[in-house]
Amino acid sequence: MAAIAVRHCVHSTAGPAAAAHGGSRRHAAPSAALRLRPNSAARPLLRTSPSTGAPMRRSYGVLRVKTQAVAEVGHTFRITETMDALRAAGKKALIPFIMAGDPNLETTAKAIKVLNDEGADVIELGVPYSDPLADGPVIQEAATRALLDQGTTLDKVLAMLTSIKGDISAPLVLFCYYNPIMRRGPDLFCEQAKAAGASGLLVPDIPLEETHEIKAIARSHGLELVLLCTPTTPVSRMAKIAEATSGFVYLVSVTGVTGVRTKVATRVEELVQSLKSVTDKSVAVGFGVSLPEHAKDIVEMGGDGVIVGSALVRALGGSSSPEEGLQKMTETFKALRAATPN
């Protein structure tokens, strides 16, 4: 895929200044804002139900279903627990990302088990989507292979997770664009994701202002919603994102898409400190992290977690066989684990 800068994905939390975007939108899942926007430039009107006091949103002329008060009794939010425990012990989280269905779902299941057994603190699993705007060539190609070559579907991904959930101790975050969630219905999606063993959800293409409902629904099922910040996010908006996120703040280290890069952006330390000036939640850094040296740099810059995607996805899905891919992915992850204090 052509390298396209993050806009609708990470400006979901970063705001309109995140970056310019120049890629095809023919198959894209429109953001909630674009999907509901009429010709006028009307802004959302917020109000509360006169009977329950629960928030109701009339967004771009469309009245949404009101969000009822959410009962969270009995839910354990494992991502927050994990990140808080690591930080209290002076340790750093290593968070790998792989794409479901690449090279096939059987190998994905084996890879998740390997990452879990080799010490992943949290695992991100991508749900393949036809227009992954936040992702660079490596992950987009993996999604394409999963969709076209393997016929991977959301139902198949959830069935695979269900089959291995008893073997996985690390919390798992589903990285999913909003279109599949919208098509299934957020409540059913979250119910099924939780039943399959997920602990969290990351939806890169909805803006902060549109996350209230999905967050409430997710938490009602025991899922945490992780939000993103970018290098162009103003500190005032960082504070709002940090307040709304659960588990950790995902700090995008570069203005652009995911991908393998030669070094960590020089601004990361400044960005980490800016976030930590407005929140006591953990800050995990991703996008462009691929080498052990990158992990060490992020730790030295004050990051609480290191997120690695493209390097693992390329090793796993770009090899000559699934067996070779698993071996290369394992070696890559072990080197990163050794560089990240645990």
Side-chain angles (χ1 to χ4, degrees), residues 92-115:
K92 304 296 181 178
L94 182 56
I95 306 174
F97 169 97
I98 59 173
M99 178 61 65
D102 183 47
N104 54 57
L105 282 172
E106 180 182 0
T107 303
T108 301
K110 292 177 181 178
I112 293 172
K113 291 179 182 178
V114 167
L115 294 170

Side-chain angles (χ1 to χ4, degrees), residues 12-294:
S12 56
T13 49
H21 133 56
S24 169
R25 292 287 295 166
R26 289 180 298 171
H27 304 293
S31 71
L34 292 176
R35 189 172 60 254
L36 297 174
R37 189 191 304 272
N39 293 331
S40 67
R43 302 305 301 166
L45 300 176
L46 299 177
R47 57 180 186 161
T48 58
S49 165
S51 58
T52 66
M56 299 177 67
R57 174 172 291 184
R58 185 180 297 274
S59 181
Y60 307 104
V62 177
L63 181 62
R64 295 188 171 193
V65 177
K66 62 185 177 181
T67 302
Q68 300 290 347
V70 176
E72 298 181 0
V73 177
H75 289 310
T76 299
F77 295 108
R78 297 183 57 224
I79 305 169
T80 294
E81 284 191 349
T82 297
M83 298 300 289
D84 287 351
L86 287 169
R87 191 165 51 169
K91 300 177 180 180
K92 304 296 181 178
L94 182 56
I95 306 174
F97 169 97
I98 59 173
M99 178 61 65
D102 183 47
N104 54 57
L105 282 172
E106 180 182 0
T107 303
T108 301
K110 292 177 181 178
I112 293 172
K113 291 179 182 178
V114 167
L115 294 170
N116 180 79
D117 294 345
E118 293 295 337
D121 297 296
V122 178
I123 298 172
E124 272 191 66
L125 181 67
V127 176
Y129 180 58
S130 60
D131 194 13
L133 293 178
D135 298 310
V138 172
I139 294 178
Q140 187 189 23
E141 289 166 7
T144 299
R145 290 191 297 266
L147 291 169
L148 298 184
D149 298 345
Q150 298 298 319
T152 305
T153 65
L154 177 59
D155 285 334
K156 291 178 181 179
V157 173
L158 295 176
M160 178 274 296
L161 287 176
T162 300
S163 72
I164 64 171
K165 67 179 181 179
D167 300 322
I168 307 303
S169 58
L172 187 138
V173 177
L174 282 180
F175 185 109
C176 185
Y177 289 85
Y178 189 67
N179 190 284
I181 299 172
M182 178 185 68
R183 287 177 61 87
R184 179 145 307 195
D187 189 69
L188 181 58
F189 179 94
C190 291
E191 177 185 349
Q192 292 178 337
K194 182 63 177 181
S199 294
L201 183 62
L202 197 160
V203 186
D205 57 342
I206 54 175
L208 172 66
E209 290 76 14
E210 296 292 328
T211 59
H212 177 79
E213 288 176 299
I214 186 64
K215 177 183 176 180
I217 292 169
R219 289 186 73 85
S220 74
H221 292 287
L223 295 173
E224 299 187 78
L225 184 66
V226 179
L227 302 181
L228 304 99
C229 279
T230 75
T232 59
T233 306
V235 175
S236 59
R237 188 171 177 85
M238 282 185 176
K240 295 176 182 178
I241 294 165
E243 181 180 2
T245 194
S246 185
F248 57 90
V249 183
Y250 190 136
L251 174 60
V252 176
S253 65
V254 293
T255 303
V257 294
T258 61
V260 175
R261 291 173 172 84
T262 57
K263 62 181 181 179
V264 176
T266 55
R267 284 198 61 205
V268 168
E269 184 171 9
E270 175 190 346
L271 294 168
V272 169
Q273 296 310 314
S274 293
L275 267 171
K276 292 198 169 188
S277 72
V278 297
T279 185
D280 59 0
K281 294 178 182 177
S282 296
V283 177
V285 180
F287 281 48
V289 181
S290 59
L291 300 172
E293 291 77 12
H294 297 167

